[in-house]
Amino acid sequence: MTTLLEPGQIPQASGDAPRVLAPDAQDVFAHRARRFAQLADGHPLGDYLRFMGRLAQAQQKALDAMPAVPVPDDAARSQSRQHGMPLVPAQSWKRDPAWRTALRTILAEVGPAASETAAATLKAIGTLEDAALDGLAERVLRTELYGEQADKLTFVAAALQVYWTKLAAQLGSAALQPLDVPGVCPCCGALPAVSVIGASPEVPGLRYLHCSLCNSEWHMTRAQCTACDAGESAVAYQHIEGDKGLVQAETCDVCKSYLKLVRRDKDASADPVADDLATLALDILVDESGFSRSGPNLLLVPGGG
Ligand SMILES: [Zn+2]
Ligand SMILES: [Zn+2]
């Protein structure tokens, strides 16, 4: 474990950098699928990562097939802005049935690659009525990734990510404005999965938080706790020895939380979600030193398989 970043060297946001970046609907999940495949090679969790790559590929297919979905009109948008609310809040936005179509596409696509256990889960999801699926969706959207039927939640989360990514892409970067609360997504109000340096080639040195649900990214000053806003004197960086520091854990001594930081400026093929799941050893390490993770990876259901 080493500290990699010197706070004095950290560049701050320039005035004209985009505050919020909507996801690239053409490639967001396809990029993730390629990264999972790359990370799987020689990895102790190779089979798992390869399967997650198939899942990401299925998400891209479901997103490509999804027709335009209803988004808030101008009046609703300005009302949300007035109240400092996200435009399509995860917990209260009326979901279009398109999310369940996405789920069915995903089930069909990953089926052939599934292990025996996963195949049984996929089959069980396929028999559920709409109301039961919506019940599972509510749990994912409240980040309650545990309990009965937890094995189904990864797939439900994958479909919800597709739907919210569609919403975010349709709204577009210009419609998404930062909220007063810097730690939640301006589009959907969900917590970030990780933060990213070099979110896009136009913003190489800046840090953005990456939404765990809709794949939007929003700017936040570097070396600042994303959970409690504590400044650089409270934050430190840890990484696994020998991994080149591509993924670091930003820990906060004030609130004892951490969030991973993915250095896309060091390797443009890095992906917030794939690189997070490929570095679970770092979570264990940081966890053992007394820090709790402040944002979820919705595809990771502890004990859910
Ligand atoms: Zn979001
Ligand atoms: Zn903190």
Side-chain angles (χ1 to χ4, degrees), residues 288-304:
E288 281 169 353
S289 14
F291 297 97
S292 330
R293 187 169 159 134
S294 61
N297 187 317
L298 297 178
L299 302 181
L300 180 66
V301 176

mmCIF file with all atom_site columns, all heavy atoms in Angstrom, residues 288-304:
data_model
loop_
_atom_site.group_PDB
_atom_site.id
_atom_site.type_symbol
_atom_site.label_atom_id
_atom_site.label_alt_id
_atom_site.label_comp_id
_atom_site.label_asym_id
_atom_site.label_entity_id
_atom_site.label_seq_id
_atom_site.pdbx_PDB_ins_code
_atom_site.Cartn_x
_atom_site.Cartn_y
_atom_site.Cartn_z
_atom_site.occupancy
_atom_site.B_iso_or_equiv
_atom_site.pdbx_formal_charge
_atom_site.auth_seq_id
_atom_site.auth_comp_id
_atom_site.auth_asym_id
_atom_site.auth_atom_id
_atom_site.pdbx_PDB_model_num
ATOM 1   N N   . GLU A 1 288 ? -10.744 -4.032  5.865   1.00 0.00 ? 288 GLU A N   1
ATOM 2   C CA  . GLU A 1 288 ? -10.033 -4.538  7.048   1.00 0.00 ? 288 GLU A CA  1
ATOM 3   C C   . GLU A 1 288 ? -9.359  -3.416  7.822   1.00 0.00 ? 288 GLU A C   1
ATOM 4   O O   . GLU A 1 288 ? -9.094  -3.548  9.008   1.00 0.00 ? 288 GLU A O   1
ATOM 5   C CB  . GLU A 1 288 ? -8.999  -5.608  6.636   1.00 0.00 ? 288 GLU A CB  1
ATOM 6   C CG  . GLU A 1 288 ? -9.660  -6.956  6.390   1.00 0.00 ? 288 GLU A CG  1
ATOM 7   C CD  . GLU A 1 288 ? -8.726  -7.973  5.737   1.00 0.00 ? 288 GLU A CD  1
ATOM 8   O OE1 . GLU A 1 288 ? -7.594  -7.590  5.347   1.00 0.00 ? 288 GLU A OE1 1
ATOM 9   O OE2 . GLU A 1 288 ? -9.149  -9.133  5.602   1.00 0.00 ? 288 GLU A OE2 1
ATOM 10  N N   . SER A 1 289 ? -9.066  -2.289  7.139   1.00 0.00 ? 289 SER A N   1
ATOM 11  C CA  . SER A 1 289 ? -8.493  -1.179  7.897   1.00 0.00 ? 289 SER A CA  1
ATOM 12  C C   . SER A 1 289 ? -9.579  -0.249  8.437   1.00 0.00 ? 289 SER A C   1
ATOM 13  O O   . SER A 1 289 ? -9.284  0.869   8.866   1.00 0.00 ? 289 SER A O   1
ATOM 14  C CB  . SER A 1 289 ? -7.446  -0.410  7.087   1.00 0.00 ? 289 SER A CB  1
ATOM 15  O OG  . SER A 1 289 ? -7.464  -0.694  5.744   1.00 0.00 ? 289 SER A OG  1
ATOM 16  N N   . GLY A 1 290 ? -10.840 -0.692  8.412   1.00 0.00 ? 290 GLY A N   1
ATOM 17  C CA  . GLY A 1 290 ? -11.896 0.030   9.130   1.00 0.00 ? 290 GLY A CA  1
ATOM 18  C C   . GLY A 1 290 ? -12.696 1.035   8.323   1.00 0.00 ? 290 GLY A C   1
ATOM 19  O O   . GLY A 1 290 ? -13.409 1.859   8.883   1.00 0.00 ? 290 GLY A O   1
ATOM 20  N N   . PHE A 1 291 ? -12.604 0.980   6.989   1.00 0.00 ? 291 PHE A N   1
ATOM 21  C CA  . PHE A 1 291 ? -13.381 1.906   6.167   1.00 0.00 ? 291 PHE A CA  1
ATOM 22  C C   . PHE A 1 291 ? -14.562 1.169   5.521   1.00 0.00 ? 291 PHE A C   1
ATOM 23  O O   . PHE A 1 291 ? -14.432 0.001   5.146   1.00 0.00 ? 291 PHE A O   1
ATOM 24  C CB  . PHE A 1 291 ? -12.501 2.504   5.073   1.00 0.00 ? 291 PHE A CB  1
ATOM 25  C CG  . PHE A 1 291 ? -11.366 3.332   5.598   1.00 0.00 ? 291 PHE A CG  1
ATOM 26  C CD1 . PHE A 1 291 ? -10.098 2.784   5.742   1.00 0.00 ? 291 PHE A CD1 1
ATOM 27  C CD2 . PHE A 1 291 ? -11.569 4.650   5.977   1.00 0.00 ? 291 PHE A CD2 1
ATOM 28  C CE1 . PHE A 1 291 ? -9.043  3.537   6.236   1.00 0.00 ? 291 PHE A CE1 1
ATOM 29  C CE2 . PHE A 1 291 ? -10.517 5.416   6.486   1.00 0.00 ? 291 PHE A CE2 1
ATOM 30  C CZ  . PHE A 1 291 ? -9.254  4.866   6.610   1.00 0.00 ? 291 PHE A CZ  1
ATOM 31  N N   . SER A 1 292 ? -15.715 1.855   5.382   1.00 0.00 ? 292 SER A N   1
ATOM 32  C CA  . SER A 1 292 ? -16.839 1.240   4.672   1.00 0.00 ? 292 SER A CA  1
ATOM 33  C C   . SER A 1 292 ? -17.044 1.946   3.347   1.00 0.00 ? 292 SER A C   1
ATOM 34  O O   . SER A 1 292 ? -16.930 3.168   3.257   1.00 0.00 ? 292 SER A O   1
ATOM 35  C CB  . SER A 1 292 ? -18.154 1.350   5.441   1.00 0.00 ? 292 SER A CB  1
ATOM 36  O OG  . SER A 1 292 ? -17.914 1.364   6.795   1.00 0.00 ? 292 SER A OG  1
ATOM 37  N N   . ARG A 1 293 ? -17.413 1.162   2.373   1.00 0.00 ? 293 ARG A N   1
ATOM 38  C CA  . ARG A 1 293 ? -17.609 1.691   1.030   1.00 0.00 ? 293 ARG A CA  1
ATOM 39  C C   . ARG A 1 293 ? -18.832 2.611   0.996   1.00 0.00 ? 293 ARG A C   1
ATOM 40  O O   . ARG A 1 293 ? -19.897 2.259   1.503   1.00 0.00 ? 293 ARG A O   1
ATOM 41  C CB  . ARG A 1 293 ? -17.801 0.499   0.090   1.00 0.00 ? 293 ARG A CB  1
ATOM 42  C CG  . ARG A 1 293 ? -17.844 0.884   -1.337  1.00 0.00 ? 293 ARG A CG  1
ATOM 43  C CD  . ARG A 1 293 ? -17.755 -0.360  -2.202  1.00 0.00 ? 293 ARG A CD  1
ATOM 44  N NE  . ARG A 1 293 ? -18.295 -0.013  -3.493  1.00 0.00 ? 293 ARG A NE  1
ATOM 45  C CZ  . ARG A 1 293 ? -17.718 -0.328  -4.642  1.00 0.00 ? 293 ARG A CZ  1
ATOM 46  N NH1 . ARG A 1 293 ? -16.641 -1.073  -4.667  1.00 0.00 ? 293 ARG A NH1 1
ATOM 47  N NH2 . ARG A 1 293 ? -18.265 0.060   -5.774  1.00 0.00 ? 293 ARG A NH2 1
ATOM 48  N N   . SER A 1 294 ? -18.699 3.794   0.357   1.00 0.00 ? 294 SER A N   1
ATOM 49  C CA  . SER A 1 294 ? -19.797 4.765   0.406   1.00 0.00 ? 294 SER A CA  1
ATOM 50  C C   . SER A 1 294 ? -20.763 4.653   -0.768  1.00 0.00 ? 294 SER A C   1
ATOM 51  O O   . SER A 1 294 ? -21.859 5.200   -0.714  1.00 0.00 ? 294 SER A O   1
ATOM 52  C CB  . SER A 1 294 ? -19.241 6.191   0.489   1.00 0.00 ? 294 SER A CB  1
ATOM 53  O OG  . SER A 1 294 ? -18.462 6.481   -0.648  1.00 0.00 ? 294 SER A OG  1
ATOM 54  N N   . GLY A 1 295 ? -20.402 3.947   -1.837  1.00 0.00 ? 295 GLY A N   1
ATOM 55  C CA  . GLY A 1 295 ? -21.319 3.826   -2.975  1.00 0.00 ? 295 GLY A CA  1
ATOM 56  C C   . GLY A 1 295 ? -21.344 2.389   -3.466  1.00 0.00 ? 295 GLY A C   1
ATOM 57  O O   . GLY A 1 295 ? -20.343 1.680   -3.345  1.00 0.00 ? 295 GLY A O   1
ATOM 58  N N   . PRO A 1 296 ? -22.485 1.937   -4.022  1.00 0.00 ? 296 PRO A N   1
ATOM 59  C CA  . PRO A 1 296 ? -22.615 0.519   -4.385  1.00 0.00 ? 296 PRO A CA  1
ATOM 60  C C   . PRO A 1 296 ? -22.166 0.214   -5.811  1.00 0.00 ? 296 PRO A C   1
ATOM 61  O O   . PRO A 1 296 ? -22.137 1.103   -6.667  1.00 0.00 ? 296 PRO A O   1
ATOM 62  C CB  . PRO A 1 296 ? -24.123 0.301   -4.294  1.00 0.00 ? 296 PRO A CB  1
ATOM 63  C CG  . PRO A 1 296 ? -24.699 1.617   -4.758  1.00 0.00 ? 296 PRO A CG  1
ATOM 64  C CD  . PRO A 1 296 ? -23.735 2.679   -4.297  1.00 0.00 ? 296 PRO A CD  1
ATOM 65  N N   . ASN A 1 297 ? -21.822 -1.034  -6.059  1.00 0.00 ? 297 ASN A N   1
ATOM 66  C CA  . ASN A 1 297 ? -21.796 -1.549  -7.425  1.00 0.00 ? 297 ASN A CA  1
ATOM 67  C C   . ASN A 1 297 ? -23.036 -2.426  -7.502  1.00 0.00 ? 297 ASN A C   1
ATOM 68  O O   . ASN A 1 297 ? -23.102 -3.470  -6.864  1.00 0.00 ? 297 ASN A O   1
ATOM 69  C CB  . ASN A 1 297 ? -20.535 -2.373  -7.688  1.00 0.00 ? 297 ASN A CB  1
ATOM 70  C CG  . ASN A 1 297 ? -20.419 -2.763  -9.160  1.00 0.00 ? 297 ASN A CG  1
ATOM 71  O OD1 . ASN A 1 297 ? -21.411 -3.160  -9.778  1.00 0.00 ? 297 ASN A OD1 1
ATOM 72  N ND2 . ASN A 1 297 ? -19.239 -2.642  -9.732  1.00 0.00 ? 297 ASN A ND2 1
ATOM 73  N N   . LEU A 1 298 ? -24.037 -1.983  -8.272  1.00 0.00 ? 298 LEU A N   1
ATOM 74  C CA  . LEU A 1 298 ? -25.344 -2.649  -8.238  1.00 0.00 ? 298 LEU A CA  1
ATOM 75  C C   . LEU A 1 298 ? -25.284 -4.080  -8.793  1.00 0.00 ? 298 LEU A C   1
ATOM 76  O O   . LEU A 1 298 ? -26.203 -4.858  -8.578  1.00 0.00 ? 298 LEU A O   1
ATOM 77  C CB  . LEU A 1 298 ? -26.381 -1.838  -9.012  1.00 0.00 ? 298 LEU A CB  1
ATOM 78  C CG  . LEU A 1 298 ? -26.683 -0.449  -8.445  1.00 0.00 ? 298 LEU A CG  1
ATOM 79  C CD1 . LEU A 1 298 ? -27.694 0.270   -9.329  1.00 0.00 ? 298 LEU A CD1 1
ATOM 80  C CD2 . LEU A 1 298 ? -27.205 -0.519  -7.012  1.00 0.00 ? 298 LEU A CD2 1
ATOM 81  N N   . LEU A 1 299 ? -24.218 -4.402  -9.515  1.00 0.00 ? 299 LEU A N   1
ATOM 82  C CA  . LEU A 1 299 ? -24.104 -5.753  -10.064 1.00 0.00 ? 299 LEU A CA  1
ATOM 83  C C   . LEU A 1 299 ? -23.494 -6.721  -9.057  1.00 0.00 ? 299 LEU A C   1
ATOM 84  O O   . LEU A 1 299 ? -23.428 -7.918  -9.307  1.00 0.00 ? 299 LEU A O   1
ATOM 85  C CB  . LEU A 1 299 ? -23.269 -5.743  -11.343 1.00 0.00 ? 299 LEU A CB  1
ATOM 86  C CG  . LEU A 1 299 ? -23.779 -4.859  -12.467 1.00 0.00 ? 299 LEU A CG  1
ATOM 87  C CD1 . LEU A 1 299 ? -22.875 -4.954  -13.683 1.00 0.00 ? 299 LEU A CD1 1
ATOM 88  C CD2 . LEU A 1 299 ? -25.219 -5.209  -12.840 1.00 0.00 ? 299 LEU A CD2 1
ATOM 89  N N   . LEU A 1 300 ? -23.044 -6.182  -7.939  1.00 0.00 ? 300 LEU A N   1
ATOM 90  C CA  . LEU A 1 300 ? -22.385 -7.026  -6.939  1.00 0.00 ? 300 LEU A CA  1
ATOM 91  C C   . LEU A 1 300 ? -23.347 -7.266  -5.781  1.00 0.00 ? 300 LEU A C   1
ATOM 92  O O   . LEU A 1 300 ? -23.639 -6.367  -5.014  1.00 0.00 ? 300 LEU A O   1
ATOM 93  C CB  . LEU A 1 300 ? -21.120 -6.334  -6.415  1.00 0.00 ? 300 LEU A CB  1
ATOM 94  C CG  . LEU A 1 300 ? -20.351 -7.133  -5.370  1.00 0.00 ? 300 LEU A CG  1
ATOM 95  C CD1 . LEU A 1 300 ? -19.779 -8.409  -5.984  1.00 0.00 ? 300 LEU A CD1 1
ATOM 96  C CD2 . LEU A 1 300 ? -19.235 -6.297  -4.775  1.00 0.00 ? 300 LEU A CD2 1
ATOM 97  N N   . VAL A 1 301 ? -23.873 -8.476  -5.732  1.00 0.00 ? 301 VAL A N   1
ATOM 98  C CA  . VAL A 1 301 ? -24.789 -8.830  -4.652  1.00 0.00 ? 301 VAL A CA  1
ATOM 99  C C   . VAL A 1 301 ? -24.034 -9.772  -3.719  1.00 0.00 ? 301 VAL A C   1
ATOM 100 O O   . VAL A 1 301 ? -23.728 -10.890 -4.106  1.00 0.00 ? 301 VAL A O   1
ATOM 101 C CB  . VAL A 1 301 ? -26.048 -9.505  -5.214  1.00 0.00 ? 301 VAL A CB  1
ATOM 102 C CG1 . VAL A 1 301 ? -26.945 -9.968  -4.082  1.00 0.00 ? 301 VAL A CG1 1
ATOM 103 C CG2 . VAL A 1 301 ? -26.789 -8.534  -6.130  1.00 0.00 ? 301 VAL A CG2 1
ATOM 104 N N   . PRO A 1 302 ? -23.683 -9.299  -2.508  1.00 0.00 ? 302 PRO A N   1
ATOM 105 C CA  . PRO A 1 302 ? -22.902 -10.144 -1.621  1.00 0.00 ? 302 PRO A CA  1
ATOM 106 C C   . PRO A 1 302 ? -23.615 -11.481 -1.387  1.00 0.00 ? 302 PRO A C   1
ATOM 107 O O   . PRO A 1 302 ? -24.777 -11.511 -0.998  1.00 0.00 ? 302 PRO A O   1
ATOM 108 C CB  . PRO A 1 302 ? -22.831 -9.346  -0.316  1.00 0.00 ? 302 PRO A CB  1
ATOM 109 C CG  . PRO A 1 302 ? -23.114 -7.936  -0.720  1.00 0.00 ? 302 PRO A CG  1
ATOM 110 C CD  . PRO A 1 302 ? -24.030 -8.012  -1.896  1.00 0.00 ? 302 PRO A CD  1
ATOM 111 N N   . GLY A 1 303 ? -22.941 -12.559 -1.695  1.00 0.00 ? 303 GLY A N   1
ATOM 112 C CA  . GLY A 1 303 ? -23.537 -13.881 -1.509  1.00 0.00 ? 303 GLY A CA  1
ATOM 113 C C   . GLY A 1 303 ? -24.585 -14.229 -2.549  1.00 0.00 ? 303 GLY A C   1
ATOM 114 O O   . GLY A 1 303 ? -25.152 -15.318 -2.532  1.00 0.00 ? 303 GLY A O   1
ATOM 115 N N   . GLY A 1 304 ? -24.858 -13.303 -3.470  1.00 0.00 ? 304 GLY A N   1
ATOM 116 C CA  . GLY A 1 304 ? -25.908 -13.544 -4.474  1.00 0.00 ? 304 GLY A CA  1
ATOM 117 C C   . GLY A 1 304 ? -25.416 -14.342 -5.660  1.00 0.00 ? 304 GLY A C   1
ATOM 118 O O   . GLY A 1 304 ? -26.201 -14.794 -6.476  1.00 0.00 ? 304 GLY A O   1
#
